[in-house]
Amino acid sequence: RVSGLPLGIRLTADLARTVSPAEMLDKTTSTLLTEIAPGVEAIVDALGPTMRLAFAALSVVPGQMDDALIASLVDLDAPDAVIASMCDSGLLQFDDRRPDAPYSMLEPLRDLGAVWLAESDRREVVMEQLVGECVRRAETYALPSREVEGRYPMNVRLARELPWHRQAIHHLAFRGDAESALRIAAGLELALYGVGWWATNTELQDAALAIAGDDTLTRARVHAARGRPGLLHQFDEFHMMRALEIGRRLGDRPVQAKALYQLGVMRWWEGRYDEALEHLAEARSMARECGDWFVELEADRFTGVTLVSAGREDEGFATLLRVLERLERTSGMEFLRPHVQVYIGHCRRHVGDDDAALVNLERARVGYERAGNTATLVHVYAGLAEVAADAGDGETALRHAARGLELSALGGVTVYDPWFLCTMARVHASAGDATQARYAAAAAVRAALGGWTGEFHRVATGLALVADAIDDASSAARLLGFADVTPDRRELPFVAPAERRRVDALRRKLDSTGDVARQGLVLGARSTLAEAAARLVGPLLDP
């Protein structure tokens, strides 16, 4: 211990002073391994004959480890004693700032352990143990409605374990074991979705589905999950239909129910309400028969949302409130309650009941702040900011918008940024601050051009209202002309009556200006979004 590690560090420092960076990168590992190997050999020999295998086994995991993972890899009767001995001897590092995963191995030691593992011809055995532990952990994640095993929040556990799961799936791809990889992806799906880590979910699902194998129920489950990555405009009908096809061929009703429910949600977002209700009803019936209460509740939730969107408001809200009441009677529903509340809030906003919308959105905000679902929390703040702006409370609107933008940057869910920035521009324009309104408008255009094109209509109409508020009738007309020929495919398909009234009032006002408005509308219909907004934001669009 005394002659090994400090000597290795000293030799590395000497090497850095005497060779070029490129040579150092090329030579450090081999030089260091040669120098520290005798010292580490002596330490391991002193600890007993089984320590060498344990030390080598742990070299397969980079980064942090917890005691359960170590126990699964070292394959000894008393793993706690082995961990203590390795920490005392410097073979493992203990970090008391990481109580969830306090152990790690220095990279030079990992390199040496990997050499020993290869020499013992046990790497495949150890990797199989890692795979088994990852499958076990993935399958312990139940619905994202309650904490699962361990003392740490779900997002903390997931962040700790994801490197292991990626490593396991990569190994399984090399081996051609599709089923085990699919089991990991399927087990993690709802937990990752629940905390809003959609890109990670898709990454693991694609990696598992890319491994050739039979059409099993696990593959169908992963296809069903891949059909709904997270954002509504990202729905993938191909994966939904593959899940349905495999589910029907194998006679698995839960898989069919889930795929049908997701297809129903997609049809709602597309505005095809009759088809949506048909798919959701079939999914709900099938889920009830096979006892899949999660899909049953979700199908009920989106049945209510679809009914509201279709103008059947009383039926829709009654359905939504029944779902919420059922969740409130059931313990451990922390992840699902706010999800229902946020959609009730958006639906209330959609029909013009802003007071009720505010209550539900605020309850959803509190629930999501506690549960850590950053992705959905972003569009909760978007709704809250818009409600505050419509109520004339500019200070609160700006505060909510700023918080939402902060969360969107943190979570990588920037599709709602144009919505936030349009709201901010409208608040500044209403307060008479034309300069800040133009800056926010330029930021909204930039965000829209770099994101989901379906938001272009919302941005154009929002900025037309901003242009009108700062007495730029020409820009207002051109932006409105662009909006008239641009489909409204916003991520959340809820349009408040207040928004419609504002746009209708602007249209009437522009009609009274005669040729100015007509020319602007015609020109806008032939423009891109950037061209339509050019007069309003001018050089502010430049990087």
Short mmCIF file of all heavy atoms in Angstrom, two decimals, residues 139-181:
data_model
loop_
_atom_site.label_atom_id
_atom_site.label_comp_id
_atom_site.label_asym_id
_atom_site.label_seq_id
_atom_site.Cartn_x
_atom_site.Cartn_y
_atom_site.Cartn_z
N GLU A 139 -36.44 -4.77 -12.82
CA GLU A 139 -37.77 -5.33 -12.58
C GLU A 139 -38.32 -5.00 -11.21
O GLU A 139 -39.49 -5.27 -10.93
CB GLU A 139 -37.72 -6.84 -12.83
CG GLU A 139 -37.48 -7.16 -14.30
CD GLU A 139 -37.43 -8.63 -14.61
OE1 GLU A 139 -37.29 -9.43 -13.66
OE2 GLU A 139 -37.53 -8.98 -15.80
N THR A 140 -37.48 -4.41 -10.31
CA THR A 140 -38.03 -3.98 -9.02
C THR A 140 -38.73 -2.63 -9.13
O THR A 140 -39.45 -2.24 -8.22
CB THR A 140 -36.93 -3.86 -7.95
OG1 THR A 140 -35.98 -2.87 -8.36
CG2 THR A 140 -36.24 -5.18 -7.72
N TYR A 141 -38.49 -1.92 -10.24
CA TYR A 141 -39.18 -0.64 -10.42
C TYR A 141 -40.63 -0.93 -10.78
O TYR A 141 -40.94 -1.38 -11.89
CB TYR A 141 -38.53 0.19 -11.53
CG TYR A 141 -37.24 0.85 -11.11
CD1 TYR A 141 -36.02 0.25 -11.39
CD2 TYR A 141 -37.24 2.05 -10.43
CE1 TYR A 141 -34.83 0.83 -11.02
CE2 TYR A 141 -36.06 2.65 -10.04
CZ TYR A 141 -34.86 2.03 -10.34
OH TYR A 141 -33.69 2.62 -9.95
N ALA A 142 -41.52 -0.63 -9.85
CA ALA A 142 -42.95 -0.82 -10.12
C ALA A 142 -43.44 0.43 -10.86
O ALA A 142 -42.66 1.17 -11.44
CB ALA A 142 -43.70 -1.02 -8.81
N LEU A 143 -44.73 0.65 -10.82
CA LEU A 143 -45.26 1.86 -11.43
C LEU A 143 -44.62 3.08 -10.79
O LEU A 143 -44.30 3.06 -9.61
CB LEU A 143 -46.78 1.92 -11.23
CG LEU A 143 -47.56 0.83 -11.94
CD1 LEU A 143 -49.00 0.88 -11.51
CD2 LEU A 143 -47.46 0.98 -13.44
N PRO A 144 -44.46 4.16 -11.57
CA PRO A 144 -43.81 5.35 -11.01
C PRO A 144 -44.75 6.11 -10.08
O PRO A 144 -44.94 7.30 -10.20
CB PRO A 144 -43.49 6.17 -12.25
CG PRO A 144 -44.56 5.80 -13.21
CD PRO A 144 -44.85 4.35 -12.96
N SER A 145 -45.34 5.37 -9.15
CA SER A 145 -46.32 5.99 -8.27
C SER A 145 -45.91 5.88 -6.81
O SER A 145 -46.60 6.35 -5.94
CB SER A 145 -47.68 5.30 -8.46
OG SER A 145 -47.55 3.91 -8.21
N ARG A 146 -44.79 5.23 -6.58
CA ARG A 146 -44.34 5.11 -5.21
C ARG A 146 -42.84 4.83 -5.20
O ARG A 146 -42.27 4.41 -6.20
CB ARG A 146 -45.07 3.97 -4.49
CG ARG A 146 -44.87 2.60 -5.13
CD ARG A 146 -45.62 1.55 -4.33
NE ARG A 146 -45.45 0.22 -4.87
CZ ARG A 146 -46.22 -0.31 -5.77
NH1 ARG A 146 -47.23 0.39 -6.27
NH2 ARG A 146 -46.02 -1.53 -6.22
N GLU A 147 -42.20 5.10 -4.09
CA GLU A 147 -40.78 4.79 -3.98
C GLU A 147 -40.59 3.27 -3.96
O GLU A 147 -41.38 2.53 -3.37
CB GLU A 147 -40.21 5.38 -2.69
CG GLU A 147 -40.13 6.89 -2.72
CD GLU A 147 -39.30 7.42 -3.87
OE1 GLU A 147 -38.28 6.80 -4.22
OE2 GLU A 147 -39.67 8.45 -4.43
N VAL A 148 -39.57 2.82 -4.65
CA VAL A 148 -39.27 1.39 -4.62
C VAL A 148 -38.12 1.18 -3.66
O VAL A 148 -37.72 2.08 -2.93
CB VAL A 148 -38.95 0.89 -6.04
CG1 VAL A 148 -40.20 0.90 -6.88
CG2 VAL A 148 -37.90 1.75 -6.71
N GLU A 149 -37.57 -0.02 -3.66
CA GLU A 149 -36.62 -0.40 -2.62
C GLU A 149 -35.49 0.64 -2.49
O GLU A 149 -35.04 1.23 -3.45
CB GLU A 149 -36.04 -1.76 -2.93
CG GLU A 149 -35.26 -1.79 -4.23
CD GLU A 149 -34.62 -3.14 -4.47
OE1 GLU A 149 -35.21 -4.16 -4.06
OE2 GLU A 149 -33.55 -3.17 -5.07
N GLY A 150 -35.05 0.86 -1.29
CA GLY A 150 -33.96 1.81 -1.06
C GLY A 150 -34.46 3.07 -0.37
O GLY A 150 -35.65 3.36 -0.33
N ARG A 151 -33.49 3.83 0.12
CA ARG A 151 -33.83 5.03 0.89
C ARG A 151 -33.81 6.29 0.06
O ARG A 151 -34.06 7.38 0.57
CB ARG A 151 -32.84 5.19 2.05
CG ARG A 151 -32.88 4.07 3.08
CD ARG A 151 -31.67 4.18 3.99
NE ARG A 151 -30.44 3.90 3.25
CZ ARG A 151 -29.23 4.20 3.70
NH1 ARG A 151 -29.09 4.81 4.85
NH2 ARG A 151 -28.16 3.90 2.99
N TYR A 152 -33.51 6.20 -1.22
CA TYR A 152 -33.26 7.38 -2.02
C TYR A 152 -34.38 7.58 -3.04
O TYR A 152 -34.98 6.62 -3.53
CB TYR A 152 -31.90 7.27 -2.72
CG TYR A 152 -30.80 7.07 -1.71
CD1 TYR A 152 -30.27 5.81 -1.47
CD2 TYR A 152 -30.35 8.13 -0.94
CE1 TYR A 152 -29.29 5.61 -0.52
CE2 TYR A 152 -29.37 7.95 0.02
CZ TYR A 152 -28.84 6.68 0.23
OH TYR A 152 -27.89 6.51 1.20
N PRO A 153 -34.66 8.83 -3.42
CA PRO A 153 -35.70 9.09 -4.42
C PRO A 153 -35.39 8.38 -5.73
O PRO A 153 -34.23 8.07 -6.05
CB PRO A 153 -35.63 10.62 -4.59
CG PRO A 153 -34.99 11.13 -3.35
CD PRO A 153 -34.05 10.06 -2.89
N MET A 154 -36.43 8.15 -6.49
CA MET A 154 -36.29 7.36 -7.70
C MET A 154 -35.29 7.98 -8.68
O MET A 154 -34.49 7.27 -9.31
CB MET A 154 -37.64 7.17 -8.37
CG MET A 154 -37.64 6.11 -9.46
SD MET A 154 -39.27 5.85 -10.15
CE MET A 154 -40.12 5.13 -8.75
N ASN A 155 -35.32 9.31 -8.83
CA ASN A 155 -34.40 9.91 -9.79
C ASN A 155 -32.94 9.75 -9.35
O ASN A 155 -32.05 9.62 -10.19
CB ASN A 155 -34.74 11.39 -10.02
CG ASN A 155 -34.76 12.20 -8.75
OD1 ASN A 155 -34.84 11.66 -7.65
ND2 ASN A 155 -34.67 13.51 -8.88
N VAL A 156 -32.69 9.74 -8.04
CA VAL A 156 -31.33 9.52 -7.54
C VAL A 156 -30.88 8.10 -7.85
O VAL A 156 -29.75 7.86 -8.31
CB VAL A 156 -31.25 9.80 -6.03
CG1 VAL A 156 -29.89 9.42 -5.46
CG2 VAL A 156 -31.56 11.27 -5.75
N ARG A 157 -31.75 7.15 -7.59
CA ARG A 157 -31.42 5.75 -7.88
C ARG A 157 -31.18 5.53 -9.36
O ARG A 157 -30.24 4.84 -9.77
CB ARG A 157 -32.54 4.83 -7.40
CG ARG A 157 -32.68 4.73 -5.89
CD ARG A 157 -33.64 3.61 -5.51
NE ARG A 157 -33.16 2.35 -5.99
CZ ARG A 157 -33.91 1.42 -6.58
NH1 ARG A 157 -35.18 1.63 -6.78
NH2 ARG A 157 -33.39 0.27 -6.97
N LEU A 158 -32.04 6.11 -10.19
CA LEU A 158 -31.90 5.92 -11.62
C LEU A 158 -30.58 6.50 -12.13
O LEU A 158 -29.89 5.88 -12.94
CB LEU A 158 -33.07 6.57 -12.36
CG LEU A 158 -34.41 5.82 -12.26
CD1 LEU A 158 -35.54 6.70 -12.77
CD2 LEU A 158 -34.36 4.52 -13.04
N ALA A 159 -30.24 7.70 -11.67
CA ALA A 159 -28.99 8.32 -12.10
C ALA A 159 -27.79 7.47 -11.72
O ALA A 159 -26.82 7.34 -12.48
CB ALA A 159 -28.86 9.72 -11.48
N ARG A 160 -27.85 6.85 -10.55
CA ARG A 160 -26.77 6.00 -10.08
C ARG A 160 -26.64 4.73 -10.91
O ARG A 160 -25.54 4.29 -11.25
CB ARG A 160 -27.03 5.64 -8.61
CG ARG A 160 -26.02 4.67 -8.00
CD ARG A 160 -26.48 4.28 -6.60
NE ARG A 160 -27.63 3.41 -6.63
CZ ARG A 160 -28.48 3.24 -5.60
NH1 ARG A 160 -28.31 3.94 -4.50
NH2 ARG A 160 -29.48 2.41 -5.69
N GLU A 161 -27.78 4.14 -11.28
CA GLU A 161 -27.77 2.82 -11.88
C GLU A 161 -27.69 2.82 -13.40
O GLU A 161 -27.35 1.80 -14.01
CB GLU A 161 -29.03 2.05 -11.44
CG GLU A 161 -29.07 1.79 -9.95
CD GLU A 161 -30.37 1.13 -9.50
OE1 GLU A 161 -31.18 0.76 -10.39
OE2 GLU A 161 -30.59 0.99 -8.29
N LEU A 162 -28.01 3.95 -14.05
CA LEU A 162 -28.07 3.95 -15.52
C LEU A 162 -26.76 3.52 -16.18
O LEU A 162 -26.79 2.79 -17.19
CB LEU A 162 -28.51 5.33 -16.02
CG LEU A 162 -30.02 5.57 -15.97
CD1 LEU A 162 -30.34 7.02 -16.29
CD2 LEU A 162 -30.74 4.64 -16.96
N PRO A 163 -25.58 3.94 -15.68
CA PRO A 163 -24.35 3.47 -16.33
C PRO A 163 -24.23 1.94 -16.31
O PRO A 163 -23.73 1.35 -17.28
CB PRO A 163 -23.24 4.12 -15.49
CG PRO A 163 -23.87 5.34 -14.91
CD PRO A 163 -25.29 4.95 -14.64
N TRP A 164 -24.70 1.31 -15.25
CA TRP A 164 -24.65 -0.15 -15.18
C TRP A 164 -25.59 -0.77 -16.21
O TRP A 164 -25.24 -1.76 -16.87
CB TRP A 164 -25.01 -0.64 -13.78
CG TRP A 164 -24.30 0.08 -12.67
CD1 TRP A 164 -23.10 0.73 -12.74
CD2 TRP A 164 -24.76 0.24 -11.33
NE1 TRP A 164 -22.78 1.28 -11.53
CE2 TRP A 164 -23.78 1.00 -10.63
CE3 TRP A 164 -25.88 -0.18 -10.62
CZ2 TRP A 164 -23.90 1.34 -9.29
CZ3 TRP A 164 -26.01 0.15 -9.29
CH2 TRP A 164 -25.02 0.91 -8.62
N HIS A 165 -26.79 -0.19 -16.32
CA HIS A 165 -27.76 -0.73 -17.28
C HIS A 165 -27.26 -0.57 -18.73
O HIS A 165 -27.42 -1.47 -19.55
CB HIS A 165 -29.11 -0.04 -17.11
CG HIS A 165 -29.78 -0.36 -15.80
ND1 HIS A 165 -30.11 -1.65 -15.44
CD2 HIS A 165 -30.18 0.43 -14.78
CE1 HIS A 165 -30.69 -1.64 -14.24
NE2 HIS A 165 -30.74 -0.39 -13.83
N ARG A 166 -26.66 0.59 -19.01
CA ARG A 166 -26.11 0.78 -20.37
C ARG A 166 -25.02 -0.25 -20.65
O ARG A 166 -24.95 -0.81 -21.75
CB ARG A 166 -25.54 2.20 -20.50
CG ARG A 166 -26.59 3.31 -20.56
CD ARG A 166 -25.93 4.63 -20.92
NE ARG A 166 -26.91 5.69 -21.07
CZ ARG A 166 -27.20 6.58 -20.11
NH1 ARG A 166 -26.54 6.53 -18.95
NH2 ARG A 166 -28.09 7.50 -20.32
N GLN A 167 -24.16 -0.47 -19.67
CA GLN A 167 -23.07 -1.43 -19.83
C GLN A 167 -23.62 -2.83 -20.04
O GLN A 167 -23.13 -3.59 -20.89
CB GLN A 167 -22.17 -1.38 -18.59
CG GLN A 167 -20.89 -2.19 -18.71
CD GLN A 167 -20.02 -2.04 -17.46
OE1 GLN A 167 -20.40 -1.36 -16.51
NE2 GLN A 167 -18.87 -2.69 -17.48
N ALA A 168 -24.66 -3.17 -19.28
CA ALA A 168 -25.25 -4.51 -19.42
C ALA A 168 -25.87 -4.70 -20.80
O ALA A 168 -25.68 -5.74 -21.43
CB ALA A 168 -26.30 -4.72 -18.33
N ILE A 169 -26.61 -3.69 -21.28
CA ILE A 169 -27.25 -3.81 -22.60
C ILE A 169 -26.20 -3.89 -23.70
O ILE A 169 -26.34 -4.65 -24.68
CB ILE A 169 -28.24 -2.64 -22.83
CG1 ILE A 169 -29.45 -2.80 -21.89
CG2 ILE A 169 -28.71 -2.60 -24.28
CD1 ILE A 169 -30.44 -1.66 -21.97
N HIS A 170 -25.12 -3.12 -23.56
CA HIS A 170 -24.04 -3.19 -24.55
C HIS A 170 -23.44 -4.60 -24.59
O HIS A 170 -23.19 -5.15 -25.67
CB HIS A 170 -22.95 -2.17 -24.19
CG HIS A 170 -21.78 -2.20 -25.11
ND1 HIS A 170 -21.81 -1.68 -26.39
CD2 HIS A 170 -20.52 -2.72 -24.95
CE1 HIS A 170 -20.63 -1.86 -26.97
NE2 HIS A 170 -19.84 -2.49 -26.12
N HIS A 171 -23.24 -5.19 -23.42
CA HIS A 171 -22.70 -6.56 -23.36
C HIS A 171 -23.69 -7.54 -23.98
O HIS A 171 -23.28 -8.46 -24.73
CB HIS A 171 -22.42 -6.93 -21.90
CG HIS A 171 -22.04 -8.37 -21.71
ND1 HIS A 171 -20.81 -8.87 -22.08
CD2 HIS A 171 -22.74 -9.42 -21.20
CE1 HIS A 171 -20.75 -10.16 -21.80
NE2 HIS A 171 -21.91 -10.51 -21.26
N LEU A 172 -24.96 -7.37 -23.71
CA LEU A 172 -25.98 -8.28 -24.24
C LEU A 172 -26.08 -8.16 -25.76
O LEU A 172 -26.34 -9.14 -26.45
CB LEU A 172 -27.33 -8.00 -23.58
CG LEU A 172 -27.39 -8.38 -22.09
CD1 LEU A 172 -28.61 -7.74 -21.43
CD2 LEU A 172 -27.43 -9.90 -21.93
N ALA A 173 -25.88 -6.94 -26.28
CA ALA A 173 -25.87 -6.77 -27.74
C ALA A 173 -24.71 -7.53 -28.36
O ALA A 173 -24.85 -8.17 -29.42
CB ALA A 173 -25.78 -5.28 -28.09
N PHE A 174 -23.56 -7.48 -27.70
CA PHE A 174 -22.38 -8.21 -28.19
C PHE A 174 -22.65 -9.72 -28.18
O PHE A 174 -22.24 -10.43 -29.09
CB PHE A 174 -21.17 -7.87 -27.31
CG PHE A 174 -19.92 -8.58 -27.69
CD1 PHE A 174 -19.18 -8.19 -28.80
CD2 PHE A 174 -19.47 -9.67 -26.94
CE1 PHE A 174 -18.02 -8.85 -29.16
CE2 PHE A 174 -18.31 -10.34 -27.30
CZ PHE A 174 -17.58 -9.93 -28.41
N ARG A 175 -23.36 -10.17 -27.15
CA ARG A 175 -23.67 -11.60 -27.02
C ARG A 175 -24.86 -12.04 -27.86
O ARG A 175 -25.09 -13.23 -28.08
CB ARG A 175 -23.98 -11.92 -25.55
CG ARG A 175 -22.77 -12.39 -24.78
CD ARG A 175 -23.22 -12.97 -23.47
NE ARG A 175 -24.38 -13.84 -23.65
CZ ARG A 175 -25.39 -13.94 -22.78
NH1 ARG A 175 -25.39 -13.24 -21.68
NH2 ARG A 175 -26.39 -14.76 -23.01
N GLY A 176 -25.70 -11.05 -28.28
CA GLY A 176 -26.90 -11.38 -29.04
C GLY A 176 -28.06 -11.84 -28.17
O GLY A 176 -28.95 -12.54 -28.65
N ASP A 177 -28.06 -11.46 -26.90
CA ASP A 177 -29.14 -11.84 -25.97
C ASP A 177 -30.17 -10.72 -25.92
O ASP A 177 -30.11 -9.82 -25.09
CB ASP A 177 -28.55 -12.10 -24.59
CG ASP A 177 -29.60 -12.59 -23.59
OD1 ASP A 177 -30.81 -12.55 -23.91
OD2 ASP A 177 -29.21 -12.98 -22.47
N ALA A 178 -31.13 -10.76 -26.85
CA ALA A 178 -32.12 -9.69 -26.94
C ALA A 178 -33.07 -9.69 -25.75
O ALA A 178 -33.43 -8.63 -25.23
CB ALA A 178 -32.92 -9.84 -28.24
N GLU A 179 -33.48 -10.87 -25.32
CA GLU A 179 -34.53 -10.93 -24.30
C GLU A 179 -34.09 -10.28 -22.99
O GLU A 179 -34.87 -9.54 -22.36
CB GLU A 179 -34.93 -12.39 -24.05
CG GLU A 179 -36.13 -12.55 -23.13
CD GLU A 179 -37.43 -12.01 -23.70
OE1 GLU A 179 -37.48 -11.70 -24.91
OE2 GLU A 179 -38.40 -11.86 -22.93
N SER A 180 -32.86 -10.53 -22.54
CA SER A 180 -32.40 -9.92 -21.30
C SER A 180 -32.31 -8.40 -21.43
O SER A 180 -32.67 -7.66 -20.51
CB SER A 180 -31.04 -10.49 -20.89
OG SER A 180 -31.15 -11.87 -20.59
N ALA A 181 -31.83 -7.92 -22.58
CA ALA A 181 -31.75 -6.48 -22.81
C ALA A 181 -33.15 -5.86 -22.82
O ALA A 181 -33.38 -4.78 -22.26
CB ALA A 181 -31.03 -6.19 -24.12
#
